Amino acid sequence: MNSKRILLNGFSMNCVSHIQQGLWVRDDTRQVEYCTLDPWLELAQILEKGCFDALFLADVVGLYDAYLGGPETSIREGMQVPVNDPALLIPAMATVTEHLGFAFTSSVLQTPPFTFARQISTLDHLTKGRIAWNIVTSYLPNAGASLGYGGLPSHKERYERANEYLEVAYKLWEGSWEESAVLKNKEKGIYADPRKVHPINHSGTYYQCEGPHLSEPSLQRTPLLFQAGSSTDGRAFAAKHAECIFIVTSRRNLSGVQNIVSDIQTQAKKSGRSPDDLRFFQGLSPVVGGTEKEALAKEEEYLQQISTDASLAHLSGSLGIDLGNINPDKPLESFDSQAMQGVVKSMIESRPPGTRTFRDLIRAQMAGQFLTGTPEQIADNLETWSDAGVDGFNLVYSTTPGSFVDFVEGVVPELQKRGRVQRAYTPGTLREKLFGQPRLSERHPAASYRRS
Ligand SMILES: Cc1cc2nc3c(=O)[nH]c(=O)nc-3n(C[C@H](O)[C@H](O)[C@H](O)COP(=O)(O)O)c2cc1C
C-alpha cells in the first residue's frame, strides 16, 4: 500500500461515438450535441468540480475503413466519424475553469511542426499553462492517404518522423526565444530584443525549418508531453520524450501493466532520465452504482446496447485487419499486424486466461473495459492499480456527462477520504501540478536546446 496521489483525467473525443460504440442513441447522454459548445463547457466544469487533473481528448485524422472493406459501418454508426478538431474546444472550456488541464491528441503526420508549435504556444498562453499534447503517430491508412503521404508511412518511418518532429518542436519552444527576450518596454517602445530571438535552422530528413518560433515563450514553453503507443518503437519513444504515458491493458491483468511500466522506466533510466520524470495513466471505464447490484445492472444494460458492428469496425481499424472477413476462431498467435503492433502486442500480452482466439479476445475486450461497482469497490480497485505502479487514469465514459457525474459524486469523495485524490488544486501550470515545476526537467532531451 502507498498513499501517492491518484491522477484523474476525463477521456473523450470531439465526435459522436468514441470507445463504447452504440450508446450514443441513449436519452441520458449528450454525445449527439458534440458540435455545440454547451456539453463541453458542462463537462469541463464537472471535471474541475471533481478535482480532475485534465480532460484528455483523443483524435484521429482519418476513417476506420478496414471493416467489411469500407467506412460504411463507421459512418452509419458515428464511430469516430464525423470527428471535429479537439484543440478548438479548449479556449472555450478554459474560460469556464481555472485549473483543469487540457490534453489533446495531434499526430505528427497532420501538421508541420512549425505550425503546430505555434498552435500549442497560443493555447498554452491562453490557458495560462494548462496544455498537454498527446503525441501519436497515426495508424489509419486513410489518414495517411488524406494527408498527402500516399498511404500510411511504415511504422518505422512514422516513429522516425516523430523523433525529428519533436526535435524541431523543442528547438522552437525551448531554444528560439531566450528567457529575457521579451521586454515590453513601453518607454523605449521596445517589445522584444531581436538579439535574443533566434532562428533554429533545422535541416533534417523530413523537416526543414528556419524559424524563429513565431510565438513568445508560454508558461510551460514545451507543453506537458503525453504519449500513447506501446509497440517496441512506441515504448522507446515514450522513454525518451514522454512525461505522461497512456496505456491500456486488460483490467484483469495487472502484470501486463507492470511489464510496460517497468520496461519504459528502465529505458528512460538508460537515457539519463529518472522514473520520477514519468507518470503512467491506465484507461478504465467506471460504472458506478449505489449498490453492487445496481452497478451490475447498469453494466449489463450497456453491454446489451453496445453495437457489435461498430465495435468490430473500431477494432478492425485499430488492428488494420478486416474482422468482417477473418475467422474469429483462428489462434491469436497467427495474427501479424503492421498497423498497430503495440495494441495487438499489449492486447495479446494482457489477455485474460482462457483467451485463445480472436472471438474470445473481442468478448473480453468489450466486458473488460468496465470497472463496475459501488464507489468503495471502485476506489479499492483504483488503489490496487495505483499500488501496482499506475499513477493515474483516463476515464472512459459510457454516457456523457453522466459517467463523469457518477464518478465525481461517488468515487472522488471516497478517494479523497482515503487521501488519494486532491481536495483542491495546487497553483501553477499543469506541469507544476503534476511534477512541481513549470518547465521540463533538465534531464529531458528538450533541455539541450535551451540557451543559457
Ligand atoms: C492507449 C492508446 C491511445 C491512443 N490514442 C490515440 C489517439 O487518440 N489517436 C491516434 O491517432 N492514435 C492513438 N493511439 C495510437 C498510437 O499513438 C500510435 O499511433 C499507434 O498505436 C501506433 O503505435 P504503436 O504501434 O507504438 O502502438 C493510441 C494508442 C494507445 C496505446
Side-chain angles (χ1 to χ4, degrees), residues 11-13 18-19 56-61 64 80 105-107 110 134-140 143 155 158-159 227-235 237 245-249 281 283 318 337-344 346 394:
F11 187 41
S12 193
M13 186 166 177
H18 180 198
I19 305 279
F56 186 112
L57 294 165
D59 192 32
V60 289
V61 280
Y64 288 75
Q80 300 198 1
T105 300
S106 183
S107 168
Q110 78 187 68
N134 178 37
I135 311 161
V136 299
T137 53
S138 294
Y139 51 87
L140 296 171
H155 195 262
R158 279 165 11 231
Y159 275 103
Q227 182 271 1
S230 44
S231 62
T232 305
D233 289 337
R235 293 184 197 187
F237 183 84
I245 295 140
F246 179 21
I247 47 184
V248 176
T249 56
F281 290 75
S318 302
S337 163
Q338 258 297 307
M340 203 174 180
Q341 305 171 0
V343 166
V344 183
S346 79
N394 273 2

Side-chain angles (χ1 to χ4, degrees), residues 125-187:
H125 279 299
L126 294 177
T127 60
K128 299 200 175 78
R130 291 195 266 158
I131 297 299
W133 170 28
N134 178 37
I135 311 161
V136 299
T137 53
S138 294
Y139 51 87
L140 296 171
N142 175 251
S146 299
L147 290 164
Y149 296 90
L152 196 62
S154 71
H155 195 262
K156 181 167 168 283
E157 182 183 323
R158 279 165 11 231
Y159 275 103
E160 279 171 11
R161 283 182 175 273
N163 271 301
E164 193 182 327
Y165 193 99
L166 271 283
E167 188 184 329
V168 178
Y170 295 152
K171 287 176 179 171
L172 292 165
W173 286 322
E174 300 287 332
S176 185
W177 287 62
E178 289 184 37
E179 209 55 45
S180 55
V182 177
L183 300 171
K184 298 187 188 174
N185 187 328
K186 289 189 177 176
E187 270 167 35

Side-chain angles (χ1 to χ4, degrees), residues 110-431:
Q110 78 187 68
T111 318
F114 179 67
T115 316
F116 181 68
R118 184 170 72 142
Q119 183 188 12
I120 282 272
S121 296
T122 307
L123 286 169
D124 204 49
H125 279 299
L126 294 177
T127 60
K128 299 200 175 78
R130 291 195 266 158
I131 297 299
W133 170 28
N134 178 37
I135 311 161
V136 299
T137 53
S138 294
Y139 51 87
L140 296 171
N142 175 251
S146 299
L147 290 164
Y149 296 90
L152 196 62
S154 71
H155 195 262
K156 181 167 168 283
E157 182 183 323
R158 279 165 11 231
Y159 275 103
E160 279 171 11
R161 283 182 175 273
N163 271 301
E164 193 182 327
Y165 193 99
L166 271 283
E167 188 184 329
V168 178
Y170 295 152
K171 287 176 179 171
L172 292 165
W173 286 322
E174 300 287 332
S176 185
W177 287 62
E178 289 184 37
E179 209 55 45
S180 55
V182 177
L183 300 171
K184 298 187 188 174
N185 187 328
K186 289 189 177 176
E187 270 167 35
K188 293 190 181 158
I190 302 175
Y191 189 79
D193 182 346
R195 292 166 305 175
K196 294 184 174 173
V197 179
H198 307 278
I200 65 164
N201 293 320
H202 176 90
S203 178
T205 311
Y206 299 107
Y207 305 105
Q208 270 68 45
C209 180
E210 182 175 273
H213 189 32
L214 294 178
S215 301
E216 64 184 87
S218 65
L219 285 174
Q220 298 188 110
R221 280 188 179 251
T222 298
L224 184 71
L225 298 172
F226 260 90
Q227 182 271 1
S230 44
S231 62
T232 305
D233 289 337
R235 293 184 197 187
F237 183 84
K240 182 170 173 197
H241 298 282
E243 300 172 273
C244 297
I245 295 140
F246 179 21
I247 47 184
V248 176
T249 56
S250 161
R251 71 178 166 88
R252 294 189 191 82
N253 184 353
L254 281 180
S255 65
V257 86
Q258 282 170 323
N259 285 344
I260 299 181
V261 169
S262 73
D263 179 17
I264 296 176
Q265 283 178 335
T266 307
Q267 293 192 52
K269 268 197 270 186
K270 278 192 195 141
S271 66
R273 301 182 71 200
S274 153
D276 248 15
D277 299 341
L278 306 174
R279 301 283 182 272
F280 292 88
F281 290 75
Q282 162 73 18
L284 284 176
S285 183
V287 181
V288 189
T291 61
E292 187 180 355
K293 196 169 156 214
E294 189 186 307
L296 286 168
K298 226 184 207 182
E299 176 190 305
E300 185 53 31
E301 194 183 310
Y302 295 150
L303 276 173
Q304 291 300 328
Q305 215 168 9
I306 275 177
S307 160
T308 312
D309 248 11
S311 302
L312 287 171
H314 188 184
L315 203 52
S316 295
S318 302
L319 301 176
I321 304 164
D322 186 349
L323 296 175
N325 290 336
I326 65 148
N327 173 358
D329 297 313
K330 238 167 86 173
L332 286 173
E333 289 69 24
S334 56
F335 290 97
D336 175 22
S337 163
Q338 258 297 307
M340 203 174 180
Q341 305 171 0
V343 166
V344 183
K345 193 170 158 187
S346 79
M347 272 169 72
I348 292 177
E349 268 177 15
S350 59
R351 67 187 184 268
T355 315
R356 277 190 328 101
T357 64
F358 233 96
R359 191 190 297 281
D360 297 339
L361 195 62
I362 289 165
R363 267 198 221 112
Q365 276 273 110
M366 284 166 121
Q369 291 174 355
F370 293 113
L371 173 55
T372 304
T374 63
E376 294 75 20
Q377 288 172 322
I378 292 177
D380 288 348
N381 201 295
L382 297 182
E383 284 200 281
T384 307
W385 280 93
S386 168
D387 295 340
V390 168
D391 300 286
F393 301 94
N394 273 2
L395 299 180
V396 178
Y397 69 82
S398 304
T399 65
T400 182
S403 299
F404 299 112
V405 172
D406 291 347
F407 192 88
V408 165
E409 290 181 353
V411 185
V412 167
E414 181 59 31
L415 287 167
Q416 285 172 331
K417 207 164 73 191
R418 301 180 188 193
R420 302 302 298 266
V421 160
Q422 60 185 359
R423 288 179 185 273
Y425 289 97
T426 50
T429 64
L430 184 56
R431 182 176 287 111

